[in-house]
Amino acid sequence: MRIAWTVLALVSIAARPAWADKKLDQAVAKAEAQLAKGKDAEAVKILQKEVARAPRDAEAPLALMTLFTRLGRRDEAAAALATAGERAASAPPAV
């Protein structure tokens, strides 16, 4: 029985990053949809909210940087890249 609980705990821990990636993928898809409608500001807000939601995740600022680059907003893209770099540097090593 103890092994079953251990396996359950490990599976739930391993699933958390996948859930976070799924939420980011959904946010990027929403932002892309807004961008296609010509609502650039709304697309930016969606990804900024995702960056704030996951304060340790480096992927969210990278998605925001990509959006800013597509919009030609280089200074903001550079700031988002810097944020991603800071988060990546402070992240624990990959297992």
Side-chain angles (χ1 to χ4, degrees):
M1 186 64 154
R2 187 173 191 194
I3 292 174
W5 285 111
T6 303
V7 170
L8 179 62
L10 289 174
V11 168
S12 67
I13 289 170
R16 285 188 183 160
W19 176 251
D21 288 344
K22 186 175 181 181
K23 290 189 98 172
L24 178 58
D25 291 343
Q26 290 171 344
V28 169
K30 283 183 183 179
E32 291 286 337
Q34 293 301 316
L35 197 59
K37 294 177 186 176
K39 298 180 178 180
D40 299 354
E42 188 62 31
V44 169
K45 284 181 189 177
I46 290 168
L47 290 183
Q48 285 175 331
K49 193 180 295 186
E50 188 63 24
V51 169
R53 184 194 65 77
R56 292 189 222 157
D57 184 16
E59 290 184 44
L62 286 176
L64 183 60
M65 181 222 40
T66 302
L67 177 63
F68 280 140
T69 301
R70 288 175 62 188
L71 296 173
R73 296 164 65 175
R74 293 182 181 164
D75 291 339
E76 290 162 303
L81 180 60
T83 300
E86 290 168 5
R87 290 181 181 188
S90 66
V95 178

